[in-house]
Amino acid sequence: MTEKRMSRWYFGGLASCGAACCTHPLDLVKVHLQTQQKGRLGMVGMASHVVRTDGVLALYNGLSASLCRQMSYSLTRFAIYETVRDMLGSSNQGNPMPFYQKVLLGAFGGFTGGFIGTPADMVNVRMQNDVKLPPELRRNYRHAVDGLFRVFREEGVRKLFSGATMASSRGALVTVGQLACYDQAKQLVLSSGVMGDNILTHFLSSFIAGGCATFLCQPLDVMKTRLMNSKGEYSGVIHCLRVTAKEGPLAFYKGLVPAGIRLIPHTVLTFIFLEQLKNNFGIVIIS
């Protein structure tokens, strides 16, 4: 008999929260770079500007909204993906799913999670971007729950789901890049026989997955950020697409380097935390 451990449905959300606490300053700088209309500030320049203007703690603006987002968006997509994957694996004598099934499952889980997490995601973007605005235009949300209630009360329930199309589409692409590519990379590394199921394998597989996710989702991430942070300058997704396209093709990849510097470590930390949670607190399966 062999013993293995399976992930619990909420482990993905917990692992993502742990990673978000470590990478939040990078996420904040990425949002600032994506929403700047003029200027050529780079990642270091933007981070220095934020610290110089509002202090070091400004790099953690919106952390509560980021954690709220992870416990809605990431918890949902991980729960769907891992639950269905483990169910199909157990009914298939433990054989891994084909890659195309992982991609389809990842897209479905990510799209669902992206939609559910849209309100928290929008508040997260606004709280991060608040320090860039003049004092009279700042929204000054105290925390994520305050932001959600104020948007609902002042702008209506429809505004809570502003950018839901972009957020859901991005969620699908990120989940394909992260979960499906991580599973496939880990499967290939283990089948090579060169490395065992250890933290080095988890690091290598998650690094590859983070790179795939960054490249796939960056254009949608730029548009999602602009839509969520807009004050009415965009009439919809198509209008935002046209305005962004007028700035040139590279406008869709604004903030690519900080996005990669943020998303790759976030992906690596998420899967390392997830594997440790699974190995130490997962469901024991004896076969």
Side-chain angles (χ1 to χ4, degrees):
M1 290 191 298
T2 58
E3 177 184 302
K4 68 174 185 177
R5 291 182 179 266
M6 293 174 61
S7 179
R8 299 181 188 273
W9 65 271
Y10 53 86
F11 278 0
L14 294 178
S16 297
C17 283
C21 288
C22 300
T23 61
H24 187 77
L26 295 171
D27 193 29
L28 180 136
V29 172
K30 180 204 70 172
V31 168
H32 283 212
L33 287 170
Q34 288 174 344
T35 53
Q36 66 177 346
Q37 300 292 332
K38 297 177 182 178
R40 298 287 180 182
L41 282 178
M43 185 184 69
V44 176
M46 183 62 79
S48 300
H49 173 73
V50 172
V51 172
R52 195 166 54 247
T53 306
D54 294 278
V56 176
L57 290 180
L59 291 171
Y60 279 90
N61 278 343
L63 179 61
S64 63
S66 181
L67 296 178
C68 182
R69 174 178 178 262
Q70 297 302 336
M71 289 306 292
S72 53
Y73 160 65
S74 286
L75 188 145
T76 301
R77 66 193 182 111
F78 270 95
I80 291 173
Y81 182 88
E82 297 207 316
T83 301
V84 176
R85 180 201 62 192
D86 292 341
M87 285 174 56
L88 292 177
S90 61
S91 64
N92 198 28
Q93 287 79 47
N95 294 322
M97 295 167 58
F99 182 58
Y100 79 91
Q101 288 185 4
K102 295 174 185 173
V103 169
L104 292 175
L105 179 57
F108 174 73
F111 191 89
T112 306
F115 181 79
I116 292 173
T118 297
D121 198 7
M122 184 187 68
V123 172
N124 181 35
V125 168
R126 288 186 172 188
M127 290 179 72
Q128 289 176 350
N129 202 56
D130 229 22
V131 295
K132 280 178 62 180
L133 300 174
E136 65 274 9
L137 294 178
R138 293 183 181 180
R139 298 179 175 97
N140 294 320
Y141 299 147
R142 294 195 302 273
H143 46 72
V145 177
D146 175 56
L148 290 170
F149 273 108
R150 280 185 54 188
V151 173
F152 175 74
R153 188 173 60 249
E154 298 168 10
E155 302 174 63
V157 69
R158 287 188 63 182
K159 190 63 179 179
L160 279 172
F161 288 91
S162 172
T165 303
M166 286 294 106
S168 299
S169 302
R170 178 190 178 277
L173 291 175
V174 170
T175 307
V176 168
Q178 285 184 329
L179 276 69
C181 290
Y182 174 79
D183 269 358
Q184 193 68 20
K186 182 181 173 184
Q187 180 185 326
L188 291 173
V189 170
L190 291 177
S191 63
S192 70
V194 177
M195 299 166 67
D197 190 0
N198 52 40
I199 196 167
L200 186 59
T201 298
H202 305 156
F203 174 85
L204 178 61
S205 303
S206 56
F207 190 91
I208 294 169
C212 294
T214 303
F215 182 78
L216 283 172
C217 75
Q218 187 61 16
L220 286 175
D221 197 23
V222 170
M223 291 183 61
K224 180 209 73 170
T225 300
R226 291 189 170 195
L227 282 167
M228 287 182 170
N229 198 55
S230 73
K231 288 180 173 289
E233 57 264 42
Y234 303 120
S235 58
V237 175
I238 301 300
H239 184 223
C240 181
L241 177 66
R242 287 174 180 166
V243 172
T244 307
K246 286 179 182 177
E247 299 174 30
L250 292 180
F252 290 101
Y253 281 91
K254 266 188 178 180
L256 178 64
V257 172
I261 292 174
R262 177 258 169 190
L263 187 56
I264 292 174
H266 184 274
T267 304
V268 170
L269 289 169
T270 296
F271 282 108
I272 287 177
F273 290 158
L274 180 64
E275 294 283 2
Q276 293 303 309
L277 284 169
K278 183 172 70 174
N279 290 340
N280 291 282
F281 307 105
I283 303 169
V284 179
I285 304 294
I286 300 176
S287 60

